[in-house]
Amino acid sequence: MGDAKRSYILSNPAGVAGPAPVVIALHGAGQTPESFRAYFGLDAAAAANNFVAVYPEGEGRVWNDSRPAAMRLKALLRPGDDVAFLVALVGKLVAEGVADPARIYLTGISNGGFMVERMACEAAELFAAYSVIMATTPVNSQEECHPARPVPIMFIHGTADTVITYSGFWTPMGATFSAPDSAALFARLNGCGGVEKRALPDLDPADGTSVTERTWQGCRDGATVTLLSVEGGGHQSPARVETQPDLATPFLGLRNRDIDAGEEVWRFMSAFSLAAAAGTVPAPSPAAPRKPKGAAPQAGGAAKTSAAPKTGAAPRAGADAQAGGAQQGQRGMSTQ
């Protein structure tokens, strides 16, 4: 991997001591960790549920996901060796006492969501559960995806998404499945049985969207597969907390306000944990009920710090602590 220097933002809510549950969140193509963090609203869920949120940066602000290279404009965007980076990042968080190795979770949006799927296929033993937002599954995964274990995974996708279309798309360079077929592929890999479908409460009729939930049952090791279809929703993650949209956000279609993506990914993923010693997946706890949809507390702003590259066990890197707030910081690491 050479001497690549990679960075990430760590957001540790006040009162959360490690080793703690960690959600690693991957930005979309062209986003920075800072802009994704402000847009996603995951910090609010972290503060409300006592987990640590981590926002890595893809090299060139893109991720080297499993779609055919031509579909990702690889020659122009020059993504890095992101599987190795994320594996190294997990090792660093565990070695520094930040992360409980049995409760590390991976989520991402758009290009970041495609990268989540690659990690589910290639590093199933690393994360307890996965969630994919506004991304579908490359058709080539049908032959190439061989997870080492059944993987709990949730998809959230807008039916009116014009960037990564809900119905999938085909080009001479490659194709993707529809969102339902993407979830169904992982359901087959997990040996799931039938699917249950229900409409979620339309709490905000003014947003022009609603949500339908599909859940595949009877999966091996309890590795549930869920799809939340945002009916009429665009290329945006649902949110019920205050966020800071990117400049392009108004052009990405409708944003659902019935559910909150940060709370949903945590509600789903936190039901699962890895048995750290044996490397197996115990029966998951039932997913927590959806909370009343009030605004969760927001974590404070980031204090930028740096951390020297470490290998093996290391003391926890010291992010500046804000009075009465969260420990936050921008970190660096070498992938050499």
Side-chain angles (χ1 to χ4, degrees), residues 6 58-60 62-65 74 77-85 115 118:
R6 305 294 294 266
E59 190 170 336
V62 292
W63 300 101
N64 195 355
D65 64 60
K74 184 176 180 180
L77 299 178
R78 301 177 62 82
D81 190 348
D82 293 316
V83 173
F85 168 47
M115 189 65 207
R118 180 176 182 185

Side-chain angles (χ1 to χ4, degrees), residues 62 67 74 102 110 144 146 157 185 225 241 295 304 336:
V62 292
R67 288 173 294 173
K74 184 176 180 180
S110 195
E144 298 171 3
H146 304 288
H157 209 119
L185 172 62
V225 177
V241 298
K304 291 189 176 181
Q336 186 173 7

Side-chain angles (χ1 to χ4, degrees), residues 1-6 81 84-85 88 333-336:
M1 287 182 287
D3 299 322
K5 183 78 171 180
R6 305 294 294 266
D81 190 348
F85 168 47
M333 61 180 288
S334 172
T335 59
Q336 186 173 7

Side-chain angles (χ1 to χ4, degrees), residues 7-241:
S7 65
Y8 60 98
I9 293 173
L10 186 147
S11 177
N12 189 353
V16 177
V22 168
V23 175
I24 297 176
L26 307 183
H27 59 75
Q31 284 185 306
T32 64
E34 291 86 356
S35 65
F36 178 49
R37 178 187 181 197
Y39 164 79
F40 191 14
L42 185 64
D43 280 7
N49 296 283
N50 299 315
F51 66 87
V52 175
V54 178
Y55 305 89
E57 183 167 14
E59 190 170 336
R61 300 183 182 178
V62 292
W63 300 101
N64 195 355
D65 64 60
S66 57
R67 288 173 294 173
M71 292 183 71
R72 295 181 283 108
L73 302 176
K74 184 176 180 180
L76 299 177
L77 299 178
R78 301 177 62 82
D81 190 348
D82 293 316
V83 173
F85 168 47
L86 293 172
V87 170
L89 174 59
V90 167
K92 181 179 175 66
L93 294 172
V94 171
E96 293 182 349
V98 174
D100 175 352
R103 296 184 295 166
I104 303 174
Y105 309 98
L106 188 65
T107 189
I109 190 168
S110 195
N111 177 213
F114 284 111
M115 189 65 207
V116 169
E117 292 181 276
R118 180 176 182 185
M119 296 304 291
C121 294
E122 298 183 22
E125 71 288 349
L126 201 62
F127 300 96
Y130 303 78
S131 54
V132 177
I133 304 171
M134 305 306 157
T136 51
T137 303
V139 169
N140 50 289
S141 294
Q142 191 166 228
E143 289 78 33
E144 298 171 3
C145 183
H146 304 288
R149 66 175 182 92
V151 290
I153 190 167
M154 179 175 70
F155 292 82
I156 302 175
H157 209 119
T159 63
D161 187 340
T162 59
V163 179
I164 305 295
T165 56
Y166 182 88
S167 59
F169 58 92
W170 178 91
T171 73
M173 301 170 288
T176 65
F177 288 116
S178 68
D181 286 344
S182 298
L185 172 62
F186 278 92
R188 289 196 300 274
L189 291 171
N190 288 354
C192 301
V195 59
E196 294 184 356
K197 180 179 177 181
R198 68 186 183 109
L200 299 187
D202 190 3
L203 300 180
D204 190 348
D207 69 14
T209 67
S210 60
V211 181
T212 301
E213 180 182 67
R214 293 177 176 86
T215 300
W216 281 259
Q217 306 287 339
C219 310
R220 289 196 308 275
D221 298 333
T224 304
V225 177
T226 293
L227 167 63
L228 296 178
S229 298
V230 183
E231 309 293 340
H235 192 67
Q236 301 213 54
S237 58
R240 287 187 64 83
V241 298

